[in-house]
Amino acid sequence: EMTPEKTKEEPFLKINPRGQLPAYIDVDGSVLLESGAILLKVLDQFDTEHKLLAASGSQRYKALEIIFFALTGLYPNLSALSDKNKDDGEAKKYSLAQRPKLLEHVDYLLRETTTGFLFGDTVGAADLVLCYNLCGYMFSPEAPEFKG
């Protein structure tokens, strides 16, 4: 079992010198350390029929835009105020100030769909990533009610 303490010790530091998760070791020995890159690698390898992410075209790039928004904009903001990050400084104030705009964008994305899914009539990679990043926040007392 990987624990936060174990990420700061050898042999994990040989895999990721930053001492952080995630870390993905491919069968060829290559290592990926960013969740977005890991997601794309797994989708390329296992979603060969492109049911979760379109192979090309505007739908693929719109899905990637939502995935990157969730991973690089939404998740850091929502996790900035978690119990493990009790910073009362400028970063926390900035996160609080940005949060309404980020959540308004999520609400917009949800209102734009007619099927309940971001693209098409079934769950896709963008749905999964957005949902994963919102799940912990949605059950907190500060979570807004989405209109979408």
Side-chain angles (χ1 to χ4, degrees):
E1 177 184 342
M2 184 55 64
T3 64
E5 295 77 28
K6 288 182 182 178
T7 64
K8 309 293 186 224
E9 303 169 356
E10 296 294 339
F12 188 80
L13 289 173
K14 287 183 181 174
I15 297 167
N16 186 349
R18 296 183 307 204
Q20 299 173 326
L21 292 173
Y24 174 89
I25 305 172
D26 202 357
V27 293
D28 66 3
S30 63
V31 176
L32 296 174
L33 304 176
E34 294 295 330
S35 57
I38 294 167
L39 173 67
L40 292 176
K41 169 66 177 171
V42 170
L43 287 170
D44 285 349
Q45 189 170 353
F46 296 105
D47 185 29
T48 56
E49 295 179 19
H50 303 287
K51 292 182 178 183
L52 295 174
L53 182 65
S56 61
S58 62
Q59 192 176 43
R60 175 183 177 84
Y61 297 108
K62 191 65 181 168
L64 289 173
E65 178 181 52
I66 293 170
I67 289 167
F68 296 152
F69 161 74
L71 294 176
T72 63
L74 189 61
Y75 175 75
N77 182 279
L78 297 180
S79 65
L81 301 179
S82 69
D83 289 341
K84 65 182 177 181
N85 297 311
K86 291 194 181 264
D87 172 28
D88 288 324
E90 292 302 313
K92 189 171 190 173
K93 289 177 189 172
Y94 179 79
S95 290
L96 282 171
Q98 293 296 351
R99 182 162 298 166
K101 287 184 179 187
L102 294 170
L103 294 175
E104 284 173 21
H105 184 62
V106 170
D107 197 45
Y108 166 79
L109 294 171
L110 296 174
R111 279 185 281 126
E112 287 296 300
T113 179
T114 58
T115 63
F117 302 104
L118 293 171
F119 301 102
D121 58 359
T122 187
V123 69
D127 299 284
L128 295 171
V129 173
L130 188 61
C131 179
Y132 175 80
N133 283 279
L134 285 172
C135 281
Y137 180 68
M138 294 307 299
F139 297 103
S140 73
E142 62 192 39
E145 184 174 322
F146 289 104
K147 296 176 185 82

